[in-house]
Amino acid sequence: ELTLYPNPADDRLTIEAEGIERVFMTDMQGMPVAAFNSNTDRLELQVESYPVGIYLVHVYTQNGKVIGKWVKR
């Protein structure tokens, strides 16, 4: 299960999923925006510099891959 909050986000986005190993973020056109390696269940990202829009978050965990959508306002 993937949780993204707050959504929409202004300056900070929290990503929660069990056993996060890697996070890959794209815009809606599929262009890469950011990538992070992790070994936790919770990541907090600073997103204040991201342009307003809709983003996809590809989260790779010990159990597979989940994709979520968040809005930058």
Side-chain angles (χ1 to χ4, degrees), residues 43-64:
L43 284 175
E44 190 170 291
L45 306 179
Q46 298 300 319
V47 296
E48 67 272 354
S49 64
Y50 288 43
V52 170
I54 301 171
Y55 295 86
L56 293 178
V57 180
H58 306 255
V59 179
Y60 298 83
T61 71
Q62 300 161 346
N63 300 319

